[in-house]
Amino acid sequence: MKIDPAISAFALLTLMTAGCGGGGDDRADTPKRFDAISADEKLTLIGTEPFWNMTIEGDQLTYSTPDNAAGIMIPVSRFSGNNGLGLNGTLDGEALQIAVTPAVCSDGMSDREYPYTATINLGDAMLNGCGYTGNVMSETGDGNE
């Protein structure tokens, strides 16, 4: 028996939405997309051991280290999840994936606390760090960014 693809797609869509509420249902437990870091904000990520810095402005990321203070600029794409911001790109031929989530973060070198944690996968390497935007650090009184 051959099944029409349009009917199969409709059946799958019906099953996927079967548990959803009717139109206009705005329940408090419905996850919202993360929107605390807007696309026009400058986002800075920092890490120690090894020292590194990433600055994201729009769809451009600059990655710098003590050996390359000028940094490497690459394009990135961004997406918002339920509890954070994701960024993807390619750096020196390696896949770059960044997850930024709201949580108090310490750089381990100072008493300064940052509003975001950052987990970076660069090829096979994993880097952990902290992040901030000028808006958030200004609101907390912790920076002049």
Side-chain angles (χ1 to χ4, degrees), residues 43-141:
L43 172 62
T44 302
L45 307 176
I46 59 168
T48 59
E49 299 182 31
F51 287 100
W52 55 268
N53 179 293
M54 293 182 182
T55 304
I56 299 101
E57 295 185 78
D59 62 355
Q60 294 293 311
L61 176 144
T62 303
Y63 174 70
S64 58
T65 64
D67 293 336
N68 184 359
I72 300 168
M73 185 178 283
I74 63 165
V76 291
S77 58
R78 27 180 317 140
F79 59 92
S80 295
N82 291 335
N83 191 33
L85 174 66
L87 298 133
N88 292 323
T90 302
L91 179 63
D92 285 339
E94 300 282 346
L96 174 67
Q97 299 173 328
I98 303 169
V100 179
T101 55
V104 175
C105 183
S106 171
D107 62 14
M109 301 288 291
S110 68
D111 292 333
R112 190 172 187 184
E113 291 184 339
Y114 299 88
Y116 301 107
T117 61
T119 304
I120 292 96
N121 290 308
L122 178 56
D124 293 333
M126 186 161 122
L127 304 171
N128 293 301
C130 300
Y132 64 93
T133 64
N135 294 341
V136 173
M137 295 304 281
S138 296
E139 291 170 7
T140 62

Side-chain angles (χ1 to χ4, degrees), residues 10-50:
F10 178 77
L12 181 60
L13 181 61
T14 302
L15 287 173
M16 290 173 44
T17 59
C20 297
D25 183 15
D26 191 21
R27 299 180 359 203
D29 61 346
T30 302
K32 304 270 191 247
R33 285 221 172 282
F34 181 79
D35 63 358
I37 303 171
S38 70
D40 61 347
E41 282 184 274
K42 178 180 174 182
L43 172 62
T44 302
L45 307 176
I46 59 168
T48 59
E49 299 182 31

